[in-house]
Amino acid sequence: MTAENPTGPLGGHLDDDDFPAYTMGRAAEMLGTTQGFLRAIGEARLITPLRSAGGHRRYSRYQLRVAARARELVDQGTPIESACRIVILEDQLEEAQRINAEYRRAAESASSPPSG
């Protein structure tokens, strides 16, 4: 098995944060929560698990990180719907800051005098 031609059960997805590798039971166990919690944040549209061919929910590492943040807020007493909204807003803010930093770098390189 090489990096250029991955084989095996994961097909080269071992480092893919978006690969739906975890069952609902395993995800709940990893987060120290219940499957009901995962269903609730799914209903609140915080995360949308992919479905296996048999219809079972599958979660990615990225989704587990998002779910862990929501659980942290719920454990602090935040209602689940509010926790989901907070996590969504935090994610949107992080993305906006990343885009702004890219624009800033592009503007700085466009305005800097050519070297030489």
Side-chain angles (χ1 to χ4, degrees), residues 8-59:
L10 293 177
H13 295 289
L14 199 55
D15 293 329
D16 185 352
D17 267 0
D18 296 317
F19 183 72
Y22 303 98
T23 63
M24 176 179 266
R26 180 68 180 130
E29 180 182 315
M30 290 170 70
L31 294 171
T33 190
T34 64
Q35 293 181 14
F37 175 79
L38 291 172
R39 281 189 213 94
I41 63 175
E43 289 169 11
R45 297 164 69 160
L46 177 61
I47 59 175
T48 304
L50 291 174
R51 297 284 181 149
S52 68
H56 299 281
R57 290 175 178 91
R58 295 287 187 156
Y59 298 88

Side-chain angles (χ1 to χ4, degrees), residues 41-92:
I41 63 175
E43 289 169 11
R45 297 164 69 160
L46 177 61
I47 59 175
T48 304
L50 291 174
R51 297 284 181 149
S52 68
H56 299 281
R57 290 175 178 91
R58 295 287 187 156
Y59 298 88
S60 69
R61 287 190 305 208
Y62 171 76
Q63 289 173 323
L64 294 183
R65 284 195 301 273
V66 169
R69 175 65 180 133
R71 180 172 185 249
E72 181 182 302
L73 291 168
V74 169
D75 287 351
Q76 294 172 2
T78 306
I80 196 161
E81 296 82 13
S82 299
C84 290
R85 185 67 181 137
I86 289 167
V87 173
I88 289 167
L89 290 170
E90 287 174 342
D91 195 49
Q92 289 173 344

